[in-house]
Amino acid sequence: MDDRSPIWGILLAAGRGTRFGRPKHNLELHDVPLWHWARRALNDGGVTDVVLVGDVDGAVPGGERRQDSVAAGLAQIPAEDGLVLVHDAARPLLTSSVVQRVIARMLSGDVVGVIPAVPIRDTIKRVARERVTETVDRGDLVSVQTPQGFDLRTLRAAHAAFRDDATDDASMVESIGGSVAIVQGDPMNLKVTYPEDLPLIEALRSGHYE
């Protein structure tokens, strides 16, 4: 992979916000849209061209599912080869250092996908009908974040081949045999999922978290 080539980004600001209770694309953090903070971090980290996907001004319309929105973003990228990072706009505390780690690992050339991850700190239990059935060994488990970086050709091939619903792009790349590595994520790279998440993220941003 040529480290002088443009590095593309797909920033997802689409979706119905089912768990949040309303769409999140118009939410603001300190009077600035969530996606603005995420895009700034992508650019500061080395992403040269960002395709915004969603229901906001200047964006490409999103699709019914997350992967449909990613596909809409991929369709806007004119390059055949290169590197693309896919990020959820609902993670506005992304830092440029996480972006740089993803890009640097991708540029090593021995994998087709890279995802930031953090260790799982809590005990994990499997339940059924409100009863614990198993305590899961968390030793080899991680919590996955975005942005996720991919070889552009591989990500397009994964989207063309995948038919089920996917919660992230890495699982699609893995399904076609692509090698995906992890880099250190950031515990503060939180995702706005529920209404109570927003005040926490606002407080962290007020603390000048960088």
Side-chain angles (χ1 to χ4, degrees), residues 6-178:
I7 297 176
W8 293 88
I10 297 175
L11 182 57
L12 302 174
R16 294 189 293 266
T18 303
R19 287 175 292 181
F20 192 83
R22 60 189 173 95
K24 293 178 286 187
H25 51 261
N26 289 323
L27 291 177
E28 293 188 345
L29 178 61
H30 298 306
D31 299 321
V32 176
L34 292 186
W35 60 264
H36 170 88
W37 299 103
R39 185 169 69 178
R40 187 182 74 172
L42 288 171
N43 288 148
D44 289 348
V47 174
T48 52
D49 299 274
V50 176
V51 178
L52 181 62
V53 181
D55 302 317
V56 296
D57 290 342
V60 176
E64 181 68 20
R65 303 171 299 173
R66 183 185 189 280
Q67 63 224 66
D68 298 327
S69 295
V70 175
L74 285 171
Q76 300 300 310
I77 298 178
E80 295 294 327
D81 297 302
L83 170 59
V84 59
L85 273 66
V86 181
H87 185 60
D88 297 323
R91 293 183 185 270
L93 295 183
L94 173 68
T95 62
S96 59
S97 58
V98 173
V99 179
Q100 290 165 355
R101 285 196 289 271
V102 172
I103 291 174
R105 185 66 179 88
M106 280 298 301
L107 291 176
S108 69
D110 62 334
V111 292
V112 296
V114 172
I115 56 178
V118 294
I120 294 177
R121 300 181 178 187
D122 297 323
T123 298
I124 304 298
K125 293 186 182 290
R126 197 181 311 278
V127 299
R129 299 178 181 176
E130 299 182 350
R131 291 184 181 274
V132 174
T133 61
E134 179 187 5
T135 299
V136 180
D137 182 1
R138 66 186 181 189
D140 56 354
L141 300 178
V142 294
S143 180
V144 174
Q145 304 175 335
T146 65
Q148 300 186 353
F150 303 98
D151 168 75
L152 194 50
R153 283 186 182 273
T154 302
L155 186 58
R156 283 194 170 116
H159 273 262
F162 203 83
R163 293 292 176 266
D164 297 325
D165 291 344
T167 57
D168 74 347
D169 293 275
S171 60
M172 301 171 72
V173 169
E174 294 159 22
S175 74
I176 63 169

